[in-house]
Short mmCIF file of all heavy atoms in Angstrom, two decimals:
data_model
loop_
_atom_site.label_atom_id
_atom_site.label_comp_id
_atom_site.label_asym_id
_atom_site.label_seq_id
_atom_site.Cartn_x
_atom_site.Cartn_y
_atom_site.Cartn_z
N PHE A 1 -34.98 -48.97 -3.38
CA PHE A 1 -34.88 -48.33 -4.70
C PHE A 1 -35.93 -48.84 -5.67
O PHE A 1 -36.62 -48.12 -6.39
CB PHE A 1 -33.52 -48.47 -5.23
CG PHE A 1 -33.31 -47.60 -6.53
CD1 PHE A 1 -33.20 -46.20 -6.41
CD2 PHE A 1 -33.21 -48.17 -7.74
CE1 PHE A 1 -32.97 -45.48 -7.55
CE2 PHE A 1 -33.00 -47.43 -8.92
CZ PHE A 1 -32.97 -46.07 -8.90
N ASP A 2 -36.11 -50.12 -5.86
CA ASP A 2 -37.02 -50.74 -6.75
C ASP A 2 -38.44 -50.26 -6.36
O ASP A 2 -39.19 -50.09 -7.25
CB ASP A 2 -36.88 -52.28 -6.82
CG ASP A 2 -35.59 -52.71 -7.44
OD1 ASP A 2 -34.93 -51.84 -8.16
OD2 ASP A 2 -35.28 -53.77 -7.44
N GLN A 3 -38.77 -50.36 -5.11
CA GLN A 3 -40.17 -49.93 -4.66
C GLN A 3 -40.32 -48.37 -5.01
O GLN A 3 -41.40 -48.11 -5.33
CB GLN A 3 -40.37 -50.21 -3.22
CG GLN A 3 -41.76 -49.99 -2.83
CD GLN A 3 -42.02 -50.39 -1.32
OE1 GLN A 3 -41.31 -51.21 -0.78
NE2 GLN A 3 -42.98 -49.83 -0.66
N PHE A 4 -39.31 -47.66 -4.88
CA PHE A 4 -39.40 -46.26 -5.19
C PHE A 4 -39.71 -45.97 -6.60
O PHE A 4 -40.63 -45.25 -7.05
CB PHE A 4 -38.09 -45.50 -4.84
CG PHE A 4 -37.79 -44.32 -5.70
CD1 PHE A 4 -38.46 -43.16 -5.65
CD2 PHE A 4 -36.65 -44.47 -6.64
CE1 PHE A 4 -38.08 -42.11 -6.43
CE2 PHE A 4 -36.38 -43.33 -7.43
CZ PHE A 4 -37.07 -42.17 -7.29
N LEU A 5 -39.05 -46.79 -7.55
CA LEU A 5 -39.37 -46.71 -8.92
C LEU A 5 -40.79 -47.12 -9.30
O LEU A 5 -41.46 -46.44 -10.16
CB LEU A 5 -38.33 -47.57 -9.71
CG LEU A 5 -36.92 -47.21 -9.81
CD1 LEU A 5 -36.02 -48.10 -10.60
CD2 LEU A 5 -36.64 -45.82 -10.36
N ARG A 6 -41.35 -48.11 -8.67
CA ARG A 6 -42.56 -48.51 -8.98
C ARG A 6 -43.56 -47.42 -8.44
O ARG A 6 -44.55 -47.12 -9.17
CB ARG A 6 -42.98 -49.83 -8.19
CG ARG A 6 -42.23 -51.09 -8.87
CD ARG A 6 -42.80 -52.47 -8.31
NE ARG A 6 -42.60 -52.46 -6.87
CZ ARG A 6 -41.53 -53.12 -6.30
NH1 ARG A 6 -40.55 -53.64 -7.17
NH2 ARG A 6 -41.34 -53.28 -5.01
N SER A 7 -43.32 -46.97 -7.23
CA SER A 7 -44.25 -45.84 -6.68
C SER A 7 -44.21 -44.60 -7.58
O SER A 7 -45.26 -43.99 -7.75
CB SER A 7 -43.81 -45.53 -5.32
OG SER A 7 -43.91 -46.67 -4.35
N ARG A 8 -43.10 -44.31 -8.08
CA ARG A 8 -42.89 -43.12 -8.91
C ARG A 8 -43.55 -43.24 -10.25
O ARG A 8 -44.26 -42.30 -10.69
CB ARG A 8 -41.37 -42.71 -9.14
CG ARG A 8 -41.19 -41.42 -9.75
CD ARG A 8 -39.74 -41.13 -9.79
NE ARG A 8 -39.56 -39.80 -10.46
CZ ARG A 8 -38.61 -39.57 -11.33
NH1 ARG A 8 -37.80 -40.56 -11.77
NH2 ARG A 8 -38.44 -38.40 -12.01
N ARG A 9 -43.47 -44.53 -10.75
CA ARG A 9 -44.09 -44.77 -12.16
C ARG A 9 -45.76 -44.60 -11.85
O ARG A 9 -46.45 -43.96 -12.67
CB ARG A 9 -43.76 -46.08 -12.52
CG ARG A 9 -42.49 -46.13 -13.29
CD ARG A 9 -42.32 -47.42 -14.09
NE ARG A 9 -42.27 -48.66 -13.27
CZ ARG A 9 -41.24 -49.25 -12.82
NH1 ARG A 9 -40.07 -48.69 -13.14
NH2 ARG A 9 -41.31 -50.19 -12.00
N GLU A 10 -46.13 -45.18 -10.71
CA GLU A 10 -47.65 -45.13 -10.54
C GLU A 10 -48.05 -43.77 -10.30
O GLU A 10 -49.17 -43.29 -10.79
CB GLU A 10 -47.98 -46.00 -9.29
CG GLU A 10 -47.77 -47.47 -9.42
CD GLU A 10 -47.80 -48.31 -8.22
OE1 GLU A 10 -47.98 -47.67 -7.13
OE2 GLU A 10 -47.66 -49.50 -8.24
N ALA A 11 -47.32 -42.93 -9.46
CA ALA A 11 -47.64 -41.53 -9.31
C ALA A 11 -47.61 -40.66 -10.64
O ALA A 11 -48.44 -39.87 -10.83
CB ALA A 11 -46.59 -40.83 -8.32
N ALA A 12 -46.65 -41.01 -11.48
CA ALA A 12 -46.59 -40.40 -12.78
C ALA A 12 -47.77 -40.66 -13.63
O ALA A 12 -48.34 -39.81 -14.31
CB ALA A 12 -45.30 -40.71 -13.42
N THR A 13 -48.21 -41.92 -13.51
CA THR A 13 -49.38 -42.28 -14.37
C THR A 13 -50.64 -41.63 -13.83
O THR A 13 -51.46 -41.11 -14.65
CB THR A 13 -49.53 -43.94 -14.24
OG1 THR A 13 -48.49 -44.54 -14.79
CG2 THR A 13 -50.82 -44.31 -14.98
N ARG A 14 -50.77 -41.56 -12.48
CA ARG A 14 -51.95 -40.80 -12.01
C ARG A 14 -51.93 -39.42 -12.26
O ARG A 14 -52.91 -38.68 -12.65
CB ARG A 14 -51.94 -40.99 -10.43
CG ARG A 14 -52.34 -42.33 -10.01
CD ARG A 14 -52.69 -42.36 -8.50
NE ARG A 14 -51.50 -41.85 -7.60
CZ ARG A 14 -50.68 -42.74 -7.17
NH1 ARG A 14 -50.58 -44.00 -7.45
NH2 ARG A 14 -49.62 -42.23 -6.44
N GLN A 15 -50.67 -38.75 -12.26
CA GLN A 15 -50.47 -37.30 -12.57
C GLN A 15 -50.88 -37.05 -14.01
O GLN A 15 -51.45 -36.09 -14.38
CB GLN A 15 -49.05 -36.94 -12.26
CG GLN A 15 -48.71 -35.44 -12.30
CD GLN A 15 -49.42 -34.66 -11.05
OE1 GLN A 15 -50.02 -35.29 -10.27
NE2 GLN A 15 -49.07 -33.33 -10.98
N ALA A 16 -50.38 -37.97 -14.84
CA ALA A 16 -50.65 -37.72 -16.28
C ALA A 16 -52.18 -37.85 -16.60
O ALA A 16 -52.69 -37.06 -17.46
CB ALA A 16 -49.93 -38.85 -17.01
N ALA A 17 -52.86 -38.75 -15.90
CA ALA A 17 -54.21 -38.83 -16.12
C ALA A 17 -55.04 -37.61 -15.59
O ALA A 17 -56.01 -37.11 -16.26
CB ALA A 17 -54.81 -40.15 -15.39
N LEU A 18 -54.48 -37.12 -14.43
CA LEU A 18 -55.13 -35.87 -13.90
C LEU A 18 -54.96 -34.77 -14.90
O LEU A 18 -55.81 -33.85 -15.10
CB LEU A 18 -54.49 -35.60 -12.54
CG LEU A 18 -55.10 -34.35 -11.82
CD1 LEU A 18 -56.51 -34.52 -11.43
CD2 LEU A 18 -54.31 -34.14 -10.45
N ALA A 19 -53.77 -34.66 -15.41
CA ALA A 19 -53.41 -33.54 -16.34
C ALA A 19 -54.19 -33.55 -17.58
O ALA A 19 -54.80 -32.61 -18.14
CB ALA A 19 -51.85 -33.52 -16.69
N GLN A 20 -54.49 -34.87 -18.12
CA GLN A 20 -55.29 -35.07 -19.28
C GLN A 20 -56.67 -34.67 -18.96
O GLN A 20 -57.35 -33.95 -19.85
CB GLN A 20 -55.19 -36.48 -19.73
CG GLN A 20 -55.96 -36.82 -21.01
CD GLN A 20 -55.42 -35.97 -22.15
OE1 GLN A 20 -54.30 -35.78 -22.25
NE2 GLN A 20 -56.34 -35.66 -23.02
N ARG A 21 -57.19 -34.93 -17.84
CA ARG A 21 -58.59 -34.56 -17.49
C ARG A 21 -58.73 -33.04 -17.37
O ARG A 21 -59.70 -32.49 -17.80
CB ARG A 21 -59.01 -35.18 -16.15
CG ARG A 21 -59.27 -36.70 -16.32
CD ARG A 21 -60.12 -37.15 -15.09
NE ARG A 21 -59.45 -37.08 -13.84
CZ ARG A 21 -58.63 -37.89 -13.30
NH1 ARG A 21 -58.36 -39.12 -14.00
NH2 ARG A 21 -58.01 -37.75 -12.12
N GLN A 22 -57.70 -32.54 -16.86
CA GLN A 22 -57.77 -30.95 -16.76
C GLN A 22 -57.78 -30.34 -18.18
O GLN A 22 -58.34 -29.36 -18.46
CB GLN A 22 -56.61 -30.44 -15.84
CG GLN A 22 -56.78 -28.89 -15.62
CD GLN A 22 -55.51 -28.45 -14.93
OE1 GLN A 22 -54.52 -28.24 -15.58
NE2 GLN A 22 -55.64 -27.99 -13.67
N LEU A 23 -56.95 -30.91 -18.95
CA LEU A 23 -56.85 -30.29 -20.36
C LEU A 23 -58.25 -30.45 -21.03
O LEU A 23 -58.71 -29.47 -21.66
CB LEU A 23 -55.82 -31.14 -21.32
CG LEU A 23 -54.39 -30.76 -20.95
CD1 LEU A 23 -53.44 -31.71 -21.73
CD2 LEU A 23 -54.03 -29.32 -21.35
N GLN A 24 -58.85 -31.61 -20.81
CA GLN A 24 -60.24 -31.76 -21.41
C GLN A 24 -61.20 -30.80 -20.87
O GLN A 24 -62.07 -30.12 -21.52
CB GLN A 24 -60.71 -33.19 -21.17
CG GLN A 24 -59.92 -34.22 -21.98
CD GLN A 24 -60.24 -35.65 -21.59
OE1 GLN A 24 -61.10 -35.90 -20.69
NE2 GLN A 24 -59.62 -36.62 -22.42
N GLN A 25 -60.98 -30.53 -19.44
CA GLN A 25 -61.96 -29.57 -18.78
C GLN A 25 -61.64 -28.20 -19.34
O GLN A 25 -62.63 -27.33 -19.44
CB GLN A 25 -61.73 -29.62 -17.29
CG GLN A 25 -62.55 -28.69 -16.49
CD GLN A 25 -62.18 -28.70 -14.98
OE1 GLN A 25 -61.08 -29.23 -14.61
NE2 GLN A 25 -62.96 -28.08 -14.14
N ARG A 26 -60.41 -27.82 -19.46
CA ARG A 26 -60.10 -26.49 -19.95
C ARG A 26 -60.67 -26.33 -21.41
O ARG A 26 -61.20 -25.22 -21.76
CB ARG A 26 -58.55 -26.35 -20.08
CG ARG A 26 -57.92 -25.94 -18.69
CD ARG A 26 -56.42 -25.79 -18.85
NE ARG A 26 -55.83 -25.26 -17.71
CZ ARG A 26 -55.81 -24.06 -17.32
NH1 ARG A 26 -56.33 -23.09 -18.17
NH2 ARG A 26 -55.16 -23.62 -16.26
N ALA A 27 -60.43 -27.29 -22.28
CA ALA A 27 -60.93 -27.19 -23.65
C ALA A 27 -62.53 -27.07 -23.64
O ALA A 27 -63.03 -26.29 -24.49
CB ALA A 27 -60.54 -28.49 -24.42
N HIS A 28 -63.23 -27.84 -22.81
CA HIS A 28 -64.62 -27.65 -22.74
C HIS A 28 -65.17 -26.25 -22.28
O HIS A 28 -66.03 -25.76 -22.84
CB HIS A 28 -65.21 -28.76 -21.76
CG HIS A 28 -66.69 -28.76 -21.70
ND1 HIS A 28 -67.55 -29.18 -22.65
CD2 HIS A 28 -67.54 -28.40 -20.71
CE1 HIS A 28 -68.79 -29.17 -22.28
NE2 HIS A 28 -68.85 -28.60 -21.07
N MET A 29 -64.40 -25.84 -21.23
CA MET A 29 -64.79 -24.49 -20.73
C MET A 29 -64.45 -23.40 -21.76
O MET A 29 -65.26 -22.40 -21.94
CB MET A 29 -64.00 -24.12 -19.45
CG MET A 29 -64.44 -25.04 -18.27
SD MET A 29 -63.39 -24.92 -16.80
CE MET A 29 -63.78 -23.31 -16.36
N GLN A 30 -63.26 -23.55 -22.38
CA GLN A 30 -62.90 -22.51 -23.39
C GLN A 30 -63.86 -22.53 -24.55
O GLN A 30 -64.10 -21.50 -25.28
CB GLN A 30 -61.43 -22.78 -23.95
CG GLN A 30 -60.88 -21.71 -24.75
CD GLN A 30 -60.71 -20.45 -24.07
OE1 GLN A 30 -60.06 -20.31 -23.04
NE2 GLN A 30 -61.28 -19.28 -24.61
N GLU A 31 -64.25 -23.78 -25.04
CA GLU A 31 -65.29 -23.83 -26.09
C GLU A 31 -66.59 -23.06 -25.79
O GLU A 31 -67.13 -22.34 -26.53
CB GLU A 31 -65.58 -25.33 -26.45
CG GLU A 31 -66.59 -25.55 -27.50
CD GLU A 31 -66.87 -27.02 -27.78
OE1 GLU A 31 -66.39 -27.81 -26.96
OE2 GLU A 31 -67.67 -27.24 -28.67
N PHE A 32 -66.98 -23.22 -24.46
CA PHE A 32 -68.32 -22.54 -24.05
C PHE A 32 -67.98 -21.02 -24.15
O PHE A 32 -68.89 -20.26 -24.67
CB PHE A 32 -68.52 -23.01 -22.66
CG PHE A 32 -69.88 -22.42 -22.20
CD1 PHE A 32 -71.00 -23.06 -22.32
CD2 PHE A 32 -69.94 -21.13 -21.62
CE1 PHE A 32 -72.28 -22.65 -21.83
CE2 PHE A 32 -71.12 -20.66 -21.11
CZ PHE A 32 -72.28 -21.33 -21.20
N VAL A 33 -66.87 -20.63 -23.67
CA VAL A 33 -66.58 -19.04 -23.63
C VAL A 33 -66.60 -18.57 -25.02
O VAL A 33 -67.13 -17.58 -25.36
CB VAL A 33 -65.17 -18.77 -22.86
CG1 VAL A 33 -64.75 -17.41 -23.16
CG2 VAL A 33 -65.24 -19.18 -21.41
N ASP A 34 -65.83 -19.28 -25.97
CA ASP A 34 -65.65 -18.81 -27.36
C ASP A 34 -67.14 -18.75 -28.04
O ASP A 34 -67.26 -17.89 -28.85
CB ASP A 34 -64.74 -19.74 -28.13
CG ASP A 34 -63.24 -19.61 -27.65
OD1 ASP A 34 -63.07 -18.68 -26.95
OD2 ASP A 34 -62.58 -20.60 -27.90
N ARG A 35 -67.96 -19.70 -27.67
CA ARG A 35 -69.19 -19.67 -28.35
C ARG A 35 -70.27 -18.79 -27.80
O ARG A 35 -71.07 -18.20 -28.57
CB ARG A 35 -69.77 -21.14 -28.22
CG ARG A 35 -71.16 -21.52 -28.93
CD ARG A 35 -71.43 -22.94 -28.82
NE ARG A 35 -72.71 -23.13 -29.37
CZ ARG A 35 -73.34 -24.34 -29.39
NH1 ARG A 35 -72.87 -25.40 -28.77
NH2 ARG A 35 -74.53 -24.49 -29.97
N PHE A 36 -70.13 -18.45 -26.48
CA PHE A 36 -71.30 -17.68 -25.82
C PHE A 36 -70.91 -16.36 -25.28
O PHE A 36 -71.76 -15.64 -24.73
CB PHE A 36 -72.00 -18.59 -24.81
CG PHE A 36 -72.68 -19.86 -25.42
CD1 PHE A 36 -72.26 -21.06 -25.16
CD2 PHE A 36 -73.80 -19.61 -26.25
CE1 PHE A 36 -72.88 -22.21 -25.52
CE2 PHE A 36 -74.34 -20.81 -26.70
CZ PHE A 36 -73.85 -22.05 -26.42
N ARG A 37 -69.71 -15.98 -25.30
CA ARG A 37 -69.30 -14.82 -24.60
C ARG A 37 -69.79 -13.49 -25.12
O ARG A 37 -69.97 -12.53 -24.37
CB ARG A 37 -67.76 -14.62 -24.65
CG ARG A 37 -67.20 -14.38 -25.97
CD ARG A 37 -65.65 -14.39 -26.06
NE ARG A 37 -65.04 -13.56 -25.11
CZ ARG A 37 -63.71 -13.23 -24.97
NH1 ARG A 37 -62.89 -14.01 -25.61
NH2 ARG A 37 -63.31 -12.32 -24.09
N TYR A 38 -70.34 -13.53 -26.37
CA TYR A 38 -70.96 -12.38 -26.97
C TYR A 38 -72.41 -12.50 -27.05
O TYR A 38 -73.18 -11.70 -27.68
CB TYR A 38 -70.38 -12.04 -28.37
CG TYR A 38 -68.89 -11.69 -28.20
CD1 TYR A 38 -67.93 -12.46 -28.81
CD2 TYR A 38 -68.46 -10.56 -27.55
CE1 TYR A 38 -66.64 -12.18 -28.68
CE2 TYR A 38 -67.08 -10.32 -27.37
CZ TYR A 38 -66.17 -11.10 -27.88
OH TYR A 38 -64.89 -10.91 -27.88
N LYS A 39 -72.90 -13.56 -26.55
CA LYS A 39 -74.44 -13.86 -26.56
C LYS A 39 -75.08 -13.38 -25.26
O LYS A 39 -74.64 -13.81 -24.21
CB LYS A 39 -74.66 -15.34 -26.88
CG LYS A 39 -76.25 -15.64 -27.14
CD LYS A 39 -76.34 -17.04 -27.43
CE LYS A 39 -77.84 -17.25 -27.90
NZ LYS A 39 -78.03 -18.82 -28.31
#
């Protein structure tokens, strides 16, 4: 059980980092679309 808790925390940390990177990627792509979609 203790090893499970450690592994789950580590997986949650990796997942949170991945989600944050995706949010940044989405924001960057959306910014490009908003700026240039009518150019």
Side-chain angles (χ1 to χ4, degrees):
F1 187 75
D2 286 348
Q3 186 173 336
F4 150 70
L5 290 180
R6 289 192 296 269
S7 298
R8 190 176 178 222
R9 281 195 297 266
E10 292 168 359
T13 300
R14 291 193 299 269
Q15 189 78 353
L18 183 60
Q20 183 61 33
R21 285 197 299 271
Q22 190 190 67
L23 285 175
Q24 294 171 353
Q25 181 186 10
R26 280 181 172 276
H28 180 73
M29 294 170 69
Q30 189 64 51
E31 181 184 3
F32 185 93
V33 170
D34 294 342
R35 184 177 179 184
F36 296 113
R37 64 187 304 181
Y38 300 114
K39 189 173 182 179

